[in-house]
Amino acid sequence: MGSKLVMWNLLSSLLLLFLWISSVTASVSYDSKAIIVNGQRRILISGSIHYPRSSPEMWPDLIQKAKDGGLDVIQTYVFWNGHEPLPGKYYFEDRYDLVKFIKLVKDAGLYVHLRIGPYVCAEWNFGGFPVWLKYVPGINFRTDNRPFKVAMRRFTKKIVDMMKAERLFESQGGPIILSQIENEYGPVEYEIGAPGRAYTDWAAKMAVGLDTGVPWVMCKQDDAPDPIINSCNGFYCDYFSPNKAYKPKMWTEAWTGWFTEFGGAVPYRPAEDLAFSVARFIQKGGSFVNYYMYHGGTNFGRTAGGPFIATSYDYDAPLDEYGLLRQPKWGHLKDLHRAIKLCEPALVSADPTVMSLGNYQEAHVFRTKTGACAAFLANYNSKSFAKVSFGSMHYNLPPWSISILPDCRNTVYNTARVGAQSAQMKMTLVNKGFSWQSYNEETASYEDKSFTVVGLLEQINTTRDNSDYLWYSTDVKIDADEGFLRNGQSPVLTVLSAGHALHVFINGQLSGTAYGSLDNPKITFSNRVNLRAGVNKISLLSIAVGLPNVGPHFETWNAGILGPVSLNGLNEGKRDLTWQKWSYKVGLEGEALSLHSLTGSSSVEWVEGSLIAQKQPLTWYKTTFNAPAGNEPLALDMGSMGKGQVWINGQSIGRYWPAYKASGSCNNCNYAGYFDEKKCLSNCGDASQRWYHVPRSWLNPTGNLLVVFEEWGGNPDWISLVKREIGSVCADIYEYQPTLMNWQMKAYGKVSKPLRPKAHLWCAPGQKISSIKFASFGTPMGGCGSFREGSCHAHKSYDIFEKQKCIGQQSCSVTVEPEVFGGDPCPNIMKKLSVEAICS
């Protein structure tokens, strides 16, 4: 009996030890230095990938490319309106299969930061809230309001319980190490005062009470209650400090670019400045950085918010909308992450000592008691180089840059010196000349599906966002003795609308169009219209272009024609039509018939050949096509069309609007100096978005149904299917540019003097380098796609690429040193190699 008791006690002790070890190895906490995962402080590099903005078939590749780029964590919002489209009716399939997405992240060996919100902003329709939530009696969004809090807690608990059931929190052995409640609420709380503060406290207590076993975060929330960590969002966050000394310094949104709006130029952010902002944050003690976005993806269907947010949510992210590497941004950040990780032992153990190195230069030095040392040497001057002395050595710092020294001696990385290759992407035609059929939508008629009331109705309250479209129709009687019928001075119709776009039809004919913008969605239509004696039908097609996603109580903002509506220039002067009887019809006839679907498209008579509608408004077009060979990402070139929506095999690609040309100032953009969303722009004068992503997984091998609804009257004959691929690759490398390989060779005693860097070029799998478009060792100028020779040029610059190394190869590398190019073309001058190779 005694031996059994001893054995039982031993087993009990071992069990307790195992449970204790398990609890230690599956735990997340934090201190002032960092998030602590399984007992270890970590510098965590994270990236946002929103699961509904790509297809499930893309997820494994996106996650792997994020891991290859040096990420530890994938961050995503949870999209309430995608998961609960109707009260109590949940959807977690296809692009909304949240559990599958998180398990794929776990399979890749990465962590997850789950931003449950459930308000997400994210340029997503209605900020992620389901539209039905607006009609809960007595509700008031995001404040100390009982109906809202009941709904918010119910959905938050639903998501937490789902994650627990699948054992996905780190405390259960899963990948989720952090969760976020609410989102960027600080500015709203400041505006609404006491009810906002009460709501913040409630949200924090509610979240913590769900007992996830991992820390909760609130971003842009300076008064986040303990134990919640407050975090920073922005282009730069080095200035930020958490609200308690024992919380880590976290940056939940490092903006890699900015969103595109219809009618706006396309923003981009130079890789050098993004890397500079991250290094600047880390040197100030930052320990968690998340790139918003790491892959932006696509606003499929009617998920884009704003209003006026484009269908592309590319965001100039390191992985582009199609899931391809955006170079040099992806590669330059990968090199940054490797440099930061070399410094990690010192970063998580020591506070930085700050040393001045000049007027705009300083060093941040992390030195541990065990002898680890890492240094960040910064030059904040955006105009000029700086030569600084640090330790017993001198360092050259380019403008607006930080050099990273993982041993406080040797530079492995400088934020302004890009070692990664650049790539010029191109859209290559794979299918043009579709055989179209057309069907013309009639302007709304008084029929069963319409209803009539006196006066004008707000659009969203009427459509409940079941369609972008709402018809407003009324009759206007014109007497035969009206003066304008004789003098030809047609009366002026004036329509005031809360937004977002408007087509005016008089007696079935398009009479004009008006539309707003993200900054000013309200519109006024005021044009002469052709009226005849007798009864005239005025049909106004009001169009929503995504619901607002940000702003205090944006759920109360209006859309549609609220008036006044008037006719001016009649014998009586001005006639107010606002309080006449108006008939309303929600949506289009083609939507009601599901013309975009395989079954619905056969429910009407389509015309083809010479009878097809040419540049007619309110026209549906359909065709079929076979999937092209290969695996390159695909897109539709919609450049010849006006505005509308497009579907493939019944799935909505999204809204298109290439007729809305981009306004803005697209001047040359220097990486140096503070960045904002207006600094670096492209596409001015062209369509804000011309190409629309077609996920390959949506296609069948043959017989794919393509349906287009055109509002304005575009020309479908020029619609084409294209593939996205690398057109050319470039390297732009300075001699003696710091590299990780150089540092490793020196650290291990393999070499004593600095190694020369190499220029690496590689085309995509299946491509080869076919020619060298440009090569110059010396002082070349310009950028990838527009290099040109400078005053100093080695005349054998092309030889090594063309004769020995690169032509006919998928990849090649060339050492950047004078001997390779026939000798030094200009001694005592800092030289670089610029090269562009064509991939085909």
Side-chain angles (χ1 to χ4, degrees):
M1 181 71 187
S3 61
K4 284 186 178 178
L5 190 61
V6 170
M7 182 62 78
W8 174 249
N9 286 338
L10 182 61
L11 286 170
S12 298
S13 299
L14 285 170
L15 181 62
L16 285 170
L17 180 64
F18 171 76
L19 289 172
W20 179 80
I21 289 170
S22 298
S23 70
V24 170
T25 56
S27 69
V28 188
S29 58
Y30 62 81
D31 63 14
S32 62
K33 290 279 190 294
I35 299 293
I36 301 168
V37 184
N38 303 332
Q40 189 175 5
R41 287 184 185 141
R42 297 288 306 273
I43 300 291
L44 293 170
I45 309 295
S46 174
S48 288
I49 299 176
H50 294 160
Y51 52 97
R53 284 177 156 145
S54 53
S55 66
E57 291 76 11
M58 293 171 67
W59 294 346
D61 184 59
L62 295 173
I63 293 164
Q64 186 59 48
K65 284 172 177 169
K67 183 178 183 179
D68 294 344
L71 266 56
D72 308 295
V73 182
I74 301 298
Q75 178 171 294
T76 184
Y77 284 124
V78 178
F79 296 85
W80 188 356
N81 53 11
H83 292 303
E84 195 179 3
L86 295 169
K89 305 290 185 191
Y90 293 102
Y91 184 78
F92 288 94
E93 296 170 33
D94 195 45
R95 297 200 323 274
Y96 292 92
D97 193 340
L98 175 60
V99 167
K100 178 178 179 177
F101 179 76
I102 292 175
K103 286 182 175 178
L104 285 169
V105 175
K106 182 186 181 183
D107 291 345
L110 300 179
Y111 297 121
V112 172
H113 178 200
L114 190 66
R115 306 174 88 188
I116 299 175
Y119 166 70
V120 301
C121 186
E123 291 71 59
W124 187 264
N125 196 53
F126 218 40
F129 289 134
V131 173
W132 58 258
L133 191 68
K134 176 177 174 173
Y135 301 101
V136 171
I139 202 161
N140 203 351
F141 285 11
R142 302 178 77 205
T143 186
D144 190 18
N145 170 266
R146 189 174 183 280
F148 179 76
K149 292 191 296 185
V150 167
M152 175 173 161
R153 184 184 187 280
R154 184 178 49 77
F155 181 75
T156 304
K157 186 174 185 299
K158 168 86 177 174
I159 297 300
V160 167
D161 288 349
M162 180 181 276
M163 298 302 107
K164 284 182 178 178
E166 298 286 343
R167 303 192 63 77
L168 292 175
F169 287 106
E170 177 69 18
S171 53
Q172 303 171 292
I176 302 171
I177 58 169
L178 294 163
S179 285
Q180 180 179 299
I181 194 70
E182 247 300 334
N183 186 53
E184 297 187 330
Y185 188 66
V188 179
E189 180 191 296
Y190 177 80
E191 197 154 325
I192 66 175
R197 291 190 292 276
Y199 167 69
T200 297
D201 288 341
W202 169 84
K205 288 188 179 78
M206 182 270 288
V208 172
L210 295 173
D211 194 26
T212 61
V214 303
W216 285 88
V217 174
M218 281 181 159
C219 64
K220 285 177 81 166
Q221 187 75 50
D222 291 342
D223 62 350
D226 288 354
I228 299 210
I229 306 166
N230 64 307
S231 64
C232 183
N233 294 353
F235 290 116
Y236 306 90
C237 276
D238 50 289
Y239 62 86
F240 169 79
S241 293
N243 61 17
K244 294 287 170 56
Y246 48 79
K247 295 179 183 179
K249 183 167 172 168
M250 292 181 61
W251 189 1
T252 33
E253 292 187 17
W255 298 331
T256 56
W258 200 243
F259 57 81
T260 299
E261 63 190 85
F262 285 126
V266 179
Y268 63 95
R269 186 177 187 184
E272 299 95 325
D273 176 65
L274 180 57
F276 176 68
S277 70
V278 173
R280 197 165 169 166
F281 180 73
I282 297 291
Q283 75 173 5
K284 293 277 189 76
S287 59
F288 178 99
V289 178
N290 175 78
Y291 296 103
Y292 187 100
M293 300 293 296
Y294 197 78
H295 168 256
T298 307
N299 293 317
F300 295 113
R302 297 169 54 249
T303 59
F308 295 95
I309 298 298
T311 298
S312 170
Y313 199 64
D314 181 88
Y315 222 88
D316 198 43
L319 299 177
D320 72 14
E321 178 182 2
Y322 302 86
L324 301 177
L325 305 185
R326 170 167 278 112
Q327 294 282 41
K329 188 172 277 188
W330 181 87
H332 192 46
L333 293 177
K334 175 180 179 173
D335 292 342
L336 169 66
H337 305 153
R338 291 160 75 188
I340 289 170
K341 292 295 185 173
L342 289 172
C343 305
E344 187 174 32
L347 294 174
V348 299
S349 304
D351 292 320
T353 302
V354 184
M355 300 166 49
S356 175
L357 302 176
N359 288 337
Y360 299 98
Q361 296 79 35
E362 62 184 14
H364 288 75
V365 184
F366 297 78
R367 199 182 302 272
T368 71
K369 293 172 184 173
T370 56
C373 187
F376 292 67
L377 310 185
N379 177 15
Y380 304 124
N381 191 318
S382 62
K383 300 282 193 287
S384 56
F385 279 78
K387 188 171 187 178
V388 300
S389 177
F390 173 71
S392 58
M393 301 184 51
H394 290 91
Y395 300 85
N396 283 309
L397 302 178
W400 200 251
S401 78
I402 293 175
S403 284
I404 299 178
L405 290 59
D407 57 1
C408 286
R409 186 171 177 83
N410 294 291
T411 305
V412 300
Y413 182 88
N414 177 274
T415 57
R417 289 287 176 258
V418 179
Q421 76 168 9
S422 300
Q424 296 277 99
M425 307 306 290
K426 66 178 182 179
M427 294 301 205
T428 304
L429 184 70
V430 293
N431 195 334
K432 192 191 172 201
F434 293 115
S435 179
W436 294 100
Q437 297 175 281
S438 71
Y439 173 79
N440 271 74
E441 177 106 7
E442 298 294 324
T443 54
S445 56
Y446 307 120
E447 56 181 37
D448 295 343
K449 290 172 188 165
S450 66
F451 61 94
T452 303
V453 297
V454 173
L456 297 165
L457 299 178
E458 196 278 335
Q459 181 162 345
I460 307 308
N461 291 336
T462 309
T463 65
R464 300 291 172 107
D465 198 38
N466 288 310
S467 170
D468 280 357
Y469 303 100
L470 178 63
W471 284 103
Y472 295 70
S473 303
T474 194
D475 288 343
V476 172
K477 189 176 181 188
I478 297 296
D479 292 335
D481 63 352
E482 282 286 353
F484 78 83
L485 294 171
R486 293 186 300 279
N487 65 28
Q489 285 289 311
S490 298
V492 173
L493 176 68
T494 300
V495 182
L496 269 65
S497 168
H500 308 130
L502 172 68
H503 300 309
V504 176
F505 294 85
I506 306 293
N507 298 320
Q509 298 299 307
L510 181 62
S511 187
T513 289
Y515 47 92
S517 65
L518 176 60
D519 292 334
N520 188 13
K522 294 181 178 179
I523 46 181
T524 299
F525 174 90
S526 193
N527 268 11
R528 295 190 181 277
V529 291
N530 291 322
L531 300 177
R532 60 195 179 210
V535 176
N536 294 262
K537 182 162 186 206
I538 296 179
S539 299
L540 309 176
L541 182 58
S542 180
I543 306 153
V545 192
L547 301 191
N549 56 264
V550 66
H553 294 300
F554 62 78
E555 76 274 15
T556 64
W557 299 1
N558 293 324
I561 300 161
L562 301 180
V565 177
S566 62
L567 267 177
N568 211 346
L570 304 176
N571 289 354
E572 69 206 72
K574 182 175 180 180
R575 186 187 299 181
D576 190 348
L577 309 180
T578 308
W579 293 102
Q580 290 199 163
K581 282 186 177 177
W582 287 85
S583 288
Y584 294 88
K585 184 182 172 191
V586 174
L588 305 165
E589 181 191 3
E591 288 180 308
L593 295 170
S594 293
L595 293 187
H596 65 278
S597 70
L598 293 162
T599 51
S601 67
S602 58
S603 63
V604 298
E605 288 289 325
W606 299 75
V607 299
E608 52 190 318
S610 60
L611 298 174
I612 198 166
Q614 293 290 330
K615 298 189 177 180
Q616 288 294 307
L618 305 187
T619 303
W620 294 81
Y621 297 99
K622 77 168 182 175
T623 189
T624 56
F625 68 97
N626 297 335
N631 60 1
E632 301 92 345
L634 301 173
L636 284 169
D637 183 347
M638 302 294 290
S640 64
M641 303 302 283
K643 178 183 183 300
Q645 297 181 34
V646 57
W647 296 262
I648 285 185
N649 292 329
Q651 297 201 72
S652 175
I653 297 291
R655 302 181 183 101
Y656 69 84
W657 200 348
Y660 205 159
K661 304 305 182 188
S663 60
S665 178
C666 294
N667 300 319
N668 282 340
C669 177
N670 186 349
Y671 79 88
Y674 280 102
F675 179 85
D676 63 40
E677 67 275 17
K678 297 277 197 292
K679 181 180 178 183
C680 303
L681 302 172
S682 65
N683 279 48
C684 292
D686 295 327
S688 297
Q689 185 179 351
R690 173 178 167 183
W691 292 288
Y692 295 79
H693 179 208
V694 178
R696 277 208 178 247
S697 59
W698 290 14
L699 299 183
N700 306 313
T702 59
N704 296 286
L705 176 67
L706 168 59
V707 176
V708 174
F709 173 66
E710 169 62 35
E711 295 172 20
W712 283 11
N715 182 0
D717 291 337
W718 290 96
I719 294 175
S720 60
L721 189 68
V722 298
K723 63 180 180 180
R724 185 168 175 83
E725 59 185 353
I726 294 175
S728 66
V729 291
C730 302
D732 198 26
I733 310 287
Y734 285 84
E735 53 181 348
Y736 297 116
Q737 187 165 310
T739 66
L740 191 62
M741 177 62 73
N742 186 350
W743 179 79
Q744 287 173 328
M745 297 283 277
K746 291 174 77 173
Y748 291 115
K750 301 276 181 70
V751 294
S752 55
K753 63 177 186 177
L755 289 172
R756 296 283 190 163
K758 286 187 174 182
H760 298 274
L761 299 172
W762 43 276
C763 298
Q767 289 185 318
K768 289 186 176 176
I769 296 171
S770 58
S771 63
I772 302 299
K773 179 180 173 183
F774 180 89
S776 177
F777 177 70
T779 57
M781 298 179 287
C784 188
S786 58
F787 287 131
R788 60 191 188 278
E789 286 183 17
S791 56
C792 167
H793 168 70
H795 294 290
K796 292 190 175 181
S797 296
Y798 283 79
D799 290 8
I800 185 74
F801 296 103
E802 292 184 333
K803 294 177 181 175
Q804 299 176 39
K805 280 274 189 178
C806 297
I807 302 295
Q809 304 297 315
Q810 188 203 339
S811 63
C812 65
S813 60
V814 170
T815 303
V816 182
E817 59 183 344
E819 293 73 21
V820 172
F821 306 103
D824 192 335
C826 42
N828 303 320
I829 290 177
M830 172 68 80
K831 291 168 286 295
K832 69 172 181 173
L833 169 68
S834 298
V835 56
E836 181 173 6
I838 303 298
C839 296
S840 57

